[in-house]
Amino acid sequence: MNGQRKESFLQFMKKRGYLLALGVLCLALVVTTAVVVGTNPKGGTQAEKPKPSASVKPSVSSSVTPSVKPSVTPTTTPSTSPVVTVIVFDSPVENATVGMTFSEDELCFSQTLGYWYGHMGMDFIGAEGQDCLAVYGGTVESVTRDIASGTVVVIKINDTLSVGYGSLAEDVSVSVGDKVEKGQVIGKISDSAYDEFKEGPHVHLTVKENGLLVNPEKYLQTQEK
């Protein structure tokens, strides 16, 4: 009996076995499709592309105060340069006429002596007895008298500069050691200088720098600009 069933089963498989195999294949296909659909609800055949992560910009707070370097106050270095005072002379005689000028290189003709020579000062001609004024402030260094230059007052301005006033009247208004101011009366003009008496009453002005005679025009304001 068992042999007949076995033979019948084998004959059935020969005739209908392919149908059974086809059914198993279909069942496997259904199961596979169900698994794919379950993992992809939209039914698409392609996996969903991951969304790109949003670029996160760093947060900048408007209340952040930029770094400020502390101000540095520069140290003021005291100037070591000496203060230079510009010395400018006034005229020694008001409304004077300039006579012979300084002429170390070019000879000057003297009416008194009658020949050409080097005139080492500057003459300011005025009226007899007119005031002689200090061209600049300083200290009276000397008051002398001689035949050639008449009465001469020398005023020291500083360690290197001094001014001489020659051909003054004998009675002067200052003495050695006096402090004088610019424009102060120091004496009266006259013709006491024997070597220039034909020039008329005047002041023979001389200027010395470091003991050497120089042109007074270097310091005077009387010349036209």
Side-chain angles (χ1 to χ4, degrees):
M1 185 69 178
N2 290 336
Q4 292 179 353
R5 290 181 177 177
K6 185 176 180 180
E7 184 66 28
S8 297
F9 177 75
L10 291 174
Q11 290 180 0
F12 174 79
M13 289 300 294
K14 289 180 180 180
K15 294 180 179 181
R16 300 287 186 269
Y18 72 93
L19 295 174
L20 180 60
L22 181 60
V24 173
L25 181 61
C26 289
L27 180 60
L29 182 61
V30 170
V31 172
T32 302
T33 302
V35 172
V36 173
V37 171
T39 57
N40 186 4
K42 294 183 178 180
T45 58
Q46 295 182 350
E48 184 179 357
K49 295 181 179 180
K51 295 183 180 180
S53 59
S55 176
V56 180
K57 296 183 179 180
S59 174
V60 179
S61 175
S62 59
S63 61
V64 176
T65 303
S67 175
V68 179
K69 294 182 179 180
S71 60
V72 179
T73 303
T75 303
T76 302
T77 304
S79 176
T80 57
S81 302
V83 177
V84 178
T85 302
V86 178
I87 296 176
V88 179
F89 292 169
D90 285 345
S91 173
V93 180
E94 291 184 352
N95 302 317
T97 299
V98 176
M100 289 189 293
T101 57
F102 188 89
S103 57
E104 180 181 17
D105 298 326
E106 297 181 5
L107 298 180
C108 182
F109 183 76
S110 169
Q111 296 183 30
T112 301
L113 301 177
Y115 58 81
W116 298 84
Y117 76 119
H119 188 251
M120 303 304 291
M122 189 171 182
D123 293 342
F124 292 82
I125 301 170
E128 180 75 29
Q130 190 173 350
D131 289 338
C132 174
L133 311 174
V135 297
Y136 203 83
T139 304
V140 177
E141 187 174 54
S142 65
V143 178
T144 60
R145 297 175 181 85
D146 62 65
I147 295 176
S149 301
T151 301
V152 180
V153 174
V154 176
I155 296 178
K156 183 179 180 179
I157 295 176
N158 55 38
D159 291 338
T160 61
L161 188 64
S162 62
V163 180
Y165 305 80
S167 193
L168 299 182
E170 186 174 347
D171 295 329
V172 295
S173 305
V174 293
S175 301
V176 174
D178 287 352
K179 302 290 184 182
V180 298
E181 302 292 334
K182 178 190 284 191
Q184 181 178 330
V185 176
I186 61 175
K188 307 292 182 181
I189 69 173
S190 72
D191 57 358
S192 63
Y194 182 77
D195 60 0
E196 290 184 355
F197 74 93
K198 286 188 178 181
E199 309 300 325
H202 68 281
V203 175
H204 178 78
L205 192 74
T206 56
V207 177
K208 284 186 178 182
E209 287 181 353
N210 297 310
L212 300 176
L213 289 166
V214 298
N215 192 343
E217 292 186 41
K218 179 178 179 180
Y219 296 96
L220 282 165
Q221 261 185 335
T222 57
Q223 306 306 307
E224 293 184 2
K225 303 297 182 183

